[in-house]
Amino acid sequence: TYSRKKQHLYQTIIMKIVFTLLALAAFTAIVEVQGATLCECYNPFAGTPKSHIGDPSNTCPDSCYVPCDSDCRDLKPARGKDRCTSKIACDENIMFSPVEHIIIENPY
């Protein structure tokens, strides 16, 4: 009958809307993960007379400088503009997968 066809049409439209929203949410999550920088130490003072201040061999195991857009779960702002620190980045027993950004415990 006419009302069943109308009901079926509404269900189809609702399912398409839900599917589109789920696909959009999944795509957004993938873009956010790919946009993050890996949790790795770097020296923001490299090439300057103060390079020893940011050298991970001097700052670890306490913490080291990391990009502020890194995926370190312990990311903390550091003094100075656009500088952040992480203790996890110093841990040599943690490896980071550059493809999936998954933390893998190092068995060695």
Side-chain angles (χ1 to χ4, degrees), residues 3 6 8 10-11 14 39 41 43-44 51 55 61 65 71 73-76 80 83 88-89 92 97 100 102 108:
S3 66
K6 199 172 187 180
H8 180 71
Y10 288 140
Q11 288 174 343
I14 289 172
C39 184
C41 297
N43 187 347
S51 66
D55 186 346
Y65 289 100
D71 61 356
R73 66 178 179 262
D74 67 335
L75 192 70
K76 293 181 182 170
R83 290 198 295 260
I88 291 174
E92 294 177 3
S97 167
E100 298 181 17
I102 297 174
Y108 304 106

Side-chain angles (χ1 to χ4, degrees), residues 82-95:
D82 298 327
R83 290 198 295 260
C84 293
T85 61
S86 168
K87 182 173 180 139
I88 291 174
C90 288
D91 192 343
E92 294 177 3
N93 293 318
I94 297 178
M95 296 183 304

Side-chain angles (χ1 to χ4, degrees), residues 29-39 71 95-104:
I30 290 169
V31 169
E32 287 178 8
V33 168
Q34 289 179 345
T37 304
L38 290 178
C39 184
D71 61 356
M95 296 183 304
F96 297 91
S97 167
V99 176
E100 298 181 17
H101 296 261
I102 297 174
I103 297 175
I104 304 167

Side-chain angles (χ1 to χ4, degrees), residues 35-86:
T37 304
L38 290 178
C39 184
E40 295 178 329
C41 297
Y42 88 107
N43 187 347
F45 304 102
T48 72
K50 296 182 179 182
S51 66
H52 64 281
I53 294 173
D55 186 346
S57 62
N58 293 332
T59 62
C60 289
D62 296 328
S63 68
C64 65
Y65 289 100
V66 294
C68 291
D69 67 343
S70 72
D71 61 356
C72 300
R73 66 178 179 262
D74 67 335
L75 192 70
K76 293 181 182 170
R79 288 192 298 171
K81 186 177 180 184
D82 298 327
R83 290 198 295 260
C84 293
T85 61
S86 168

